[in-house]
Amino acid sequence: MRMTINHLNIVVADMQRSLDFYIGLLAMRQTFEVTLQDRWLEEVTGCDDARAHCVFVVPDGGGCRLEILQYLSPQGTALAPNALPHTQGLRHFALEVTDLDGWHQKLSAAGVRFVSPPITVPFRIVEGIQKRLCYCHDPDGVVVEFCEHLRG
């Protein structure tokens, strides 16, 4: 038996606003789009009358897909504490990039607010990699880590 991460799901309030972020700003590619509905969705989610707009995007360099989901019914609510990095539960996902400073500058110029500028982790991580990173939030408050791995 084996296991891999297939995708991460992000529930959003406004699909177009989120696609503007993930496709427009982050240059991801859309790979799939569908309206999810019917009894199977109600059963798997435990939500009566569940209906959702679903779009899959993938980083241009490949890797784990993001399932962007906007529930059309029932509509959920945002919980402000979920955007804090120390709140329990799944808190962020990381995008490995080249030229972290370039990404930071590009996104900052587009109005994305970062928690800090890129910082260097003061120790080497797995396989002796030196890591630099910074956090921002997507339009729905999901913490997104941008990281650069420097080898050698």
Side-chain angles (χ1 to χ4, degrees), residues 9 21 23 27 34 47 52 56 77-78 84 97 115 117 126 138 149-150:
N9 168 269
F21 180 78
I23 294 173
V34 69
C47 296
F56 273 33
T77 58
L84 300 174
V97 299
V115 175
V126 178
D138 84 348
H149 291 171
L150 307 172

Side-chain angles (χ1 to χ4, degrees), residues 118-137:
I119 60 143
T120 301
V121 175
F123 52 85
R124 295 200 177 268
I125 62 169
V126 178
E127 299 175 4
I129 293 170
Q130 185 70 57
K131 182 177 179 179
R132 297 181 67 234
L133 72 142
C134 55
Y135 287 163
C136 72
H137 294 89

Side-chain angles (χ1 to χ4, degrees), residues 38-48 50:
D38 295 323
R39 183 81 183 129
W40 73 270
L41 184 62
E42 293 175 7
E43 288 182 31
V44 75
T45 63
C47 296
D48 290 335

Side-chain angles (χ1 to χ4, degrees), residues 82-105:
N82 284 344
L84 300 174
H86 65 286
T87 302
Q88 294 177 355
L90 180 61
R91 206 45 44 224
H92 78 268
F93 68 95
L95 297 170
E96 185 176 346
V97 299
T98 57
D99 189 13
L100 178 61
D101 294 313
W103 276 102
H104 183 267
Q105 183 178 25

Side-chain angles (χ1 to χ4, degrees), residues 22-33:
Y22 287 102
I23 294 173
L25 283 176
L26 301 188
M28 292 187 176
R29 287 183 296 110
Q30 179 176 324
T31 60
F32 181 77
E33 181 172 14

